[in-house]
Amino acid sequence: MSRPAVIVAAAVLAFLVFAALFPGVIAPGDPLAIHPLDSFRAPSFAHPFGTDESGRDIFTRIIHGTGASLTIGLSATAIGVGLALILGLLSGLGPRWLDFGTTRFLEVLFAFPGLLLALLFIVIYGPGVVTSTIAVGLATAPGYARIIRSQVRVVRRAPYLEAALVLGRSPAHRLVRHLLPNVVGSLFVLVTLGIGQSIVWASSLSYLGLGAVPPAAEWGAMLSAGRTYLGSFWWMTFFPGLFIVLAAVGTTLLGRGIQQGTRLR
Amino acid sequence: MALPVAAAPPVRRGPLPWLLLRLGGVVFVLWAVATVTFFAIRLIPGDPAEAVLGGPGSQASAAALAQVRADYGLDLPLPLQYLHYLGRLAAGDLGRSYSLREPVGAVIGQNLGGTLLLALLSLLTAAVIALALAAWSTRGGRWASAVTWVLEVVSAALPHFWLAISLILLFSTTLGWLPPVSVPGPAGLVLPVLTLAIPLAGFLGQVMRESLLDALGSPFVLAARARGESEAGVFWRHALRHAAIPAIGLAGWAFGALISGAVVVETIFARPGIGRSLLSAVQLRDVPLVIGVVLVVALGYMLVTTLTDLADRLIDPRPAPTTAHRGRS
C-alpha cells in the first residue's frame, strides 16, 4: 500500500476542484485578456507558466480552464456509464435472446478498439467540444457495459433479491432499491479510474484538433494552440499537459487506493 | 452455425470445433463492423459526391457531380450500394481515397508496416519494463513494492502526447541526443517507442504483479521449492507462466491502446503510419480511407484476440477437465 501517494493524490484533486469552482481566488487575472507586447514570455515571477502567442498568462488560463476540462471528463464518463448501465441491465436482466444480442453488439463495438470508435463518431458529426465529449463517452461505454452485465448477473441471484421477491416487492422496487445500489456501488472505483482516462482521451482529441477550439481556456485547446510552437516555446504545451497529467494521475491513484483499501477490509 | 466470439463455451471444446467457432465469430464481427461503418457514414450531412470533389466550397458543376456519382456508384439505390460495397470488400477492394486519389488498399499497404514495427517494438519494450518492475516489486520488500506501485499507476495514467512532448524536450531540445522527429533508422524510433511503451508497461506491470504475487504464494510454488528448485527457477519456470495468462488476456486491449497511441505518436513525431493516415482522413472527412483503416484495425483486433485465446489454451498449465470425460483425445 502507498498511503502517502493516495493522500497526495486526494490533495491534488481537492486543489483542482477548488480551482474549478473558484478560479478567481487562485488566479485573479482575466484568462482571455491579451497583451501583444508580452507574447511568448518564458516562465518568470510575473508569469509562472509563461505567456502564449497573444501575451495571455498561461497560469491564469490553466486555472480558469480547470472547470471546463473537468466538466468534459466528468460528462464523458457519465455518458459512458449511462449507456453502459442501459446495455448492462438489458443484457443482465433481459431474456436470453436480448442478452445474446447485446453481447454480440458489444463484441462488435470492442472491435473498434481504443479511440477508433471516437474518431468514427467525429467523422460523422464533425469536430467540437460536444461531439468529442460524446465520442469519448461512447468509446468507453463497451468496457463498462461488460463489467456491469457480469455484476448484474451476480447480484440478480443474491439472496436479498430473492427475499424481496418473496416479500412481494414490485419489480420496480427490487430494481431501484436492491439491484441498482449493489451494482452501482461496485462501479464507484471503476468510475473514479474512468474519469482520468476520459480526461486524457478528450484532451488527446483536443490536442489533435478534433475537440475544444483554441481561444477557449481549456487544457486540450491550449495544448492544440501550443503545438505549433513546440520547438521554441515549450511552456505553452508543457504546463497545460502537466495539469491533465495531475488530474489523470490523481483520479487513478485515488481510485486504485480505494480499490486496495476496500479489498483489504 | 456461426456462433460469435466471446460466447465462451462452458466446456473446453476440442481444437477443431473451437477453431471453427472462432473463425465464424471473426467473420460475423467483421461483417457487422463493415455494416455499422457503411450505414454510420450515411449519417454524414452533405453530398458524398461533393466530398469527393473537395467539399461544398469546391462549387463543382452538375456534370462533374453526376460523373463522380456514376464513378463511385453513388447513383444506385442504397441496398444495392451496400451489396456492391460488401462484394468489393469480400474481394479485398477498399475503394479509392478522396483526398489522396489512390486506392485505399495501397495507402494502407504503404503505411501498415511502419505502424506494425512501432507497435511491436513498443509492446516488447513494455513487456521488458513491466517484467522488471514486477520482479523487483515481488522480491525487493515493502519499499520496492510501494515504489513500483506508484510508478506503475502513474505511468499508466500518462497521456501519450504529454509523454512525447516531455521526451522531446528532454532528449532532443535539452540534451540533443535524439531527433525530435522520426527520421529513418533506429535513432528515430527510440522516442516514439518509449512514448508508446511507458504507459503500456504501467498497465502490464499492475496486472502481472498481482498474478505473480498470487502465484508465489500458491501451493504449486511451495511444491517446487520443496523439490529444491532454485529461486530463479521458481520465478521463470513456475510463477511467470502463471502470471503471463492475465497479461495475455489484455492483448486485445493493448492492441487498441497501441493503435490509439499510434495516432498521437505518429502525428507528433511526423512518422508515416496508419495512425497518422487515419487522423488526416478524419480531418479531411476522407470516408473511404477512414472505413479502410477501421476495417483493417478491426481485422487486426480480431486476429490478436483469436491468437491470444489460442495461446491461452496452450500456456494455461491447468489441465483441460472435460476432454477425458467426453471421450475425446
Side-chain angles (χ1 to χ4, degrees), chain B residues 57 76 112 114 117 142 147-148 150 155 161 179 207 227 262 276 288 294:
Chain B
L76 300 170
L112 194 58
L117 179 70
R142 282 181 67 85
V147 171
T148 45
V150 173
S155 57
F161 58 84
V207 174
R227 284 198 305 272
R276 200 158 71 121
V294 166

Side-chain angles (χ1 to χ4, degrees), chain A:
Chain A
M1 264 301 278
S2 307
R3 185 158 288 171
V6 176
I7 292 169
V8 170
V12 166
L13 287 181
F15 170 76
L16 290 180
V17 170
F18 183 78
L21 294 175
F22 312 104
V25 177
I26 301 169
D30 179 357
L32 294 174
I34 56 168
H35 304 281
L37 288 177
D38 279 337
S39 56
F40 299 124
R41 292 291 157 106
S44 65
F45 190 70
H47 302 288
F49 292 171
T51 65
D52 68 3
E53 77 278 15
S54 308
R56 292 175 293 212
D57 181 55
I58 288 178
F59 177 73
T60 310
R61 284 172 64 71
I62 288 178
I63 294 297
H64 283 263
T66 311
S69 303
L70 292 189
T71 309
I72 291 174
L74 285 173
S75 323
T77 313
I79 292 168
V81 173
L83 278 174
L85 213 52
I86 295 170
L87 286 173
L89 286 177
L90 281 180
S91 183
L93 294 178
R96 277 185 72 114
W97 61 267
L98 194 59
D99 180 34
F100 183 84
T102 318
T103 321
R104 296 296 84 76
F105 177 65
L106 286 178
E107 269 159 27
V108 173
L109 289 186
F110 272 116
F112 299 93
L115 277 178
L116 215 64
L117 202 58
L119 288 175
L120 199 64
F121 187 79
I122 290 171
V123 174
I124 297 165
Y125 293 102
V129 187
V130 178
T131 31
S132 70
T133 307
I134 300 175
V136 170
L138 203 64
T140 49
Y144 293 130
R146 190 148 73 173
I147 296 165
I148 292 174
R149 171 182 177 271
S150 57
Q151 186 64 24
V152 168
R153 293 180 78 85
V154 170
V155 172
R156 71 185 279 198
R157 292 200 187 82
Y160 52 81
L161 268 174
E162 208 173 319
L165 181 70
V166 172
L167 287 171
R169 303 294 190 199
S170 68
H173 178 95
R174 278 179 282 140
L175 178 73
V176 176
R177 294 294 298 276
H178 298 285
L179 191 107
L180 275 184
N182 284 291
V183 171
V184 173
S186 67
L187 270 181
F188 180 72
V189 168
L190 206 66
V191 170
T192 317
L193 294 172
I195 291 171
Q197 193 200 18
S198 294
I199 292 175
V200 167
W201 280 15
S203 59
S204 299
L205 289 175
S206 298
Y207 179 81
L208 297 171
L210 301 171
V213 201
E218 190 271 333
W219 297 342
M222 295 175 69
L223 278 169
S224 180
R227 190 152 73 114
T228 334
Y229 310 105
L230 184 60
S232 23
F233 312 112
W234 55 271
W235 53 89
M236 284 182 65
T237 34
F238 181 82
F239 288 113
L242 185 66
F243 270 70
I244 293 166
V245 171
L246 283 180
V249 171
T251 48
T252 314
L253 275 175
L254 193 66
R256 290 271 177 229
I258 297 169
Q259 201 174 32
Q260 287 209 341
T262 48
R263 200 178 294 162
L264 287 177
R265 237 174 267 146

Side-chain angles (χ1 to χ4, degrees), chain B residues 177-198:
Chain B
W177 290 352
L178 292 161
V181 292
S182 187
V183 294
L189 262 168
V190 177
L191 291 185
V193 165
L194 276 181
T195 307
L196 276 181
I198 290 174

